[in-house]
Amino acid sequence: MRRPRGAAVAAIALTGALALAGCARDSSSGGGDGGGDSAAGGSGCELAEAPVADEEVAPSEVPTEDVDASELRVGLAYDIGGRGDASFNDAAAAGLDRAVDELGISPDNIRELTAGANESEDAKQTRLRQLADDGFNPIIGVGFAYAESFNVVAAEFPDVDFALVDAPADPENVTALLFAEHEGSFLAGVAAAYESENCHIGFVGGVENPLIQKFEAGYLAGAQAAAPDITIENTYLTSGSDITGFQDAARGNEAALGQIEAGADVVYHASGASGQGVFEAAFAQDVKAIGVDSDQYNQEIVGEAHEVIVTSMLKRVDVAVFDFLAAVAQDDLSVMPENFNLSVDGVGYSTSGDLLAADTIEALEGYRSEIISGAIEVPDTPSGN
């Protein structure tokens, strides 16, 4: 199964509905075990007719021509894992690196700080105050874990431009960088349906909360739109305030193995560093996997397991960070989109590895243009929630 099968590309998403070790639940949706005739790659699903891509439907972009950001001093506060996490934080780092290359920000005018595991709220606020007191402006926080801290610290520094990834904040000087994870995950679900030989797929979510449920909702909707009779395994590693589900590769491995033993042959994860365990399980069992946030096929930390990553759902935190820095540099935050969705290239799918069948890509582009045009409205909460 580890072989190229077509051009390239795919979309991803994720979330689940079960948890391990007492704070979890298992469920399957859809029915049957596939086996219907299909035009796609090796898919065992009986596939619905895919929409045809409209070449006139294309994402828009924030204008950045002639923007000079050389005077900016940028502070970046990462969530747990920081630069090098092969996921969410790395996507933010990529946006900053692009701004250095294209907007003229000096590396000497950048400070990057990283949150510790299970740290206090005071520690987060101290990190943000340190950046502001030292003259960094703008300041970007990566992840909803900074929401409370931004409400407090941004109000103390009204002349500093702040941006917060994945959560809104009350002060007027905070720009919320929000994403349509459900739209990107819809495409991941379509890709999974087309690439599955058993018509049986899985989703592993790190922490069961409203944000990760957006991944789940889109993934389920996309898979069921492409293959109404598909069977889906859902697993959450933890729930509520227990965020260790984003940091436990062993538990991710265990969850993925359980789904594979149940019959899933494509597994999508939205579980941060726990996704490493998902990839290792998929590689060991010779099934396919879908990455999340960044193009995980190209990340060194994944190692030889990258061979089974057919695509990744790209949550373009890099685009959002770059666009925000460009907007601040031109002193015009009005150019920022309210939501980074498919229409502004805020989410999408990766093309690395040349592992997706050509008809899978064709279907993905068709569904993508339908979502951008509004013909398809993707749910952002799982049915029943």
Side-chain angles (χ1 to χ4, degrees), residues 74-311:
V74 181
L76 190 56
Y78 292 115
D79 203 347
I80 298 168
R83 182 188 281 266
D85 73 340
S87 188
F88 193 64
N89 290 298
D90 263 358
L96 179 59
D97 292 344
R98 181 185 168 197
V100 170
D101 292 338
E102 298 182 23
L103 303 180
I105 296 175
S106 170
D108 294 335
N109 288 337
I110 294 172
R111 181 178 296 172
E112 301 173 64
L113 302 176
T114 302
N118 299 316
E119 70 178 10
S120 68
E121 182 61 32
D122 285 345
K124 290 183 175 62
Q125 292 184 21
T126 297
R127 180 177 304 111
L128 297 176
R129 287 193 187 95
Q130 177 184 348
L131 290 170
D133 282 334
D134 289 347
F136 288 91
N137 182 13
I139 296 171
I140 302 169
V142 183
F144 61 85
Y146 280 104
E148 183 177 342
S149 299
F150 266 61
N151 277 329
V152 174
V153 178
E156 297 173 359
F157 297 89
D159 294 329
V160 175
D161 287 311
F162 291 83
L164 178 58
V165 175
D166 270 352
D170 294 332
E172 293 184 359
N173 56 327
V174 179
T175 298
L177 305 180
L178 305 176
F179 297 83
E181 296 92 349
H182 53 303
E183 292 186 359
S185 294
F186 183 102
L187 297 182
V190 171
Y194 270 72
E195 292 295 315
S196 174
E197 297 178 4
N198 297 339
C199 204
H200 194 155
I201 64 175
F203 169 81
V204 177
V207 179
E208 187 174 15
N209 58 35
L211 174 60
I212 303 302
Q213 286 175 334
K214 291 175 68 178
F215 291 87
E216 176 191 8
Y219 184 64
L220 301 185
Q224 291 167 342
D229 292 329
I230 197 167
T231 300
I232 307 172
E233 305 292 328
N234 293 330
T235 305
Y236 278 108
L237 304 182
T238 61
S239 62
S241 61
D242 182 0
I243 63 171
T244 60
F246 291 134
Q247 310 161 44
D248 194 334
R251 200 157 15 169
N253 185 283
E254 181 181 354
L257 284 176
Q259 295 187 353
I260 294 166
E261 290 173 359
D265 61 359
V266 182
V267 181
Y268 171 51
H269 91 93
S271 59
S274 300
Q276 179 67 25
V278 174
F279 295 145
E280 290 171 354
F283 180 78
Q285 298 299 313
D286 199 17
V287 303
K288 299 170 185 175
I290 296 176
V292 74
D293 293 339
S294 300
D295 183 355
Q296 298 199 280
Y297 178 90
N298 287 325
Q299 293 174 335
E300 292 184 5
I301 192 174
V302 175
E304 61 182 357
H306 83 285
E307 296 177 16
V308 300
I309 302 175
V310 294
T311 187

Side-chain angles (χ1 to χ4, degrees), residues 21-73:
C23 58
R25 69 176 187 274
D26 267 340
S27 65
S28 293
S29 59
D33 58 359
D37 292 335
S38 168
S43 177
C45 292
E46 184 173 350
L47 299 170
E49 183 176 355
V52 177
D54 184 346
E55 295 182 359
E56 295 184 0
V57 176
S60 59
E61 297 180 352
V62 169
T64 59
E65 187 176 358
D66 297 327
V67 172
D68 179 7
S70 59
E71 298 301 315
L72 296 185
R73 301 188 70 224

Side-chain angles (χ1 to χ4, degrees), residues 5-8 41 195 356-364:
R5 292 194 305 104
E195 292 295 315
L356 292 177
D359 43 5
T360 300
I361 296 169
E362 183 178 359
L364 287 170

